[in-house]
Amino acid sequence: GGDAAALSALVEGLGSEPFDPARNMPTVPVLLAGGREDVMVQGLAGLAPLLPDARYVDVPGDHVGALASDELFEETLRFLA
């Protein structure tokens, strides 16, 4: 749906909360995964070196297809092991 009032309130709320990446750094290992054909994850691989304990994996598929890939499943199991 398109609730303009709710979206406006969300944007205003985000703008009023200062973002300090150093203060909000993850304290647990992070797996970042992106589909090779997914234009929405451009630059995601560059985020992994900025996090204390992160790994990026590139799997086949677009934004939805990557989630169903065997490679993502295998990488997730390896990450959780």
Side-chain angles (χ1 to χ4, degrees):
D3 186 338
L7 182 56
S8 177
L10 173 67
V11 170
E12 287 179 28
L14 290 173
S16 68
E17 179 70 28
F19 176 67
D20 179 2
R23 191 184 80 197
N24 298 307
M25 196 63 69
T27 58
V28 296
V30 175
L31 176 65
L32 301 169
R36 289 186 195 113
E37 294 82 41
D38 186 354
V39 296
M40 296 177 71
V41 298
Q42 292 178 354
L44 186 61
L47 182 60
L50 304 176
L51 299 172
D53 189 7
R55 186 163 63 101
Y56 174 78
V57 294
D58 185 48
V59 298
D62 59 14
H63 195 66
V64 175
L67 296 174
S69 72
D70 290 338
E71 288 84 351
L72 179 58
F73 180 75
E74 291 167 11
E75 290 291 346
T76 301
L77 289 179
R78 191 175 358 267
F79 175 75
L80 294 174

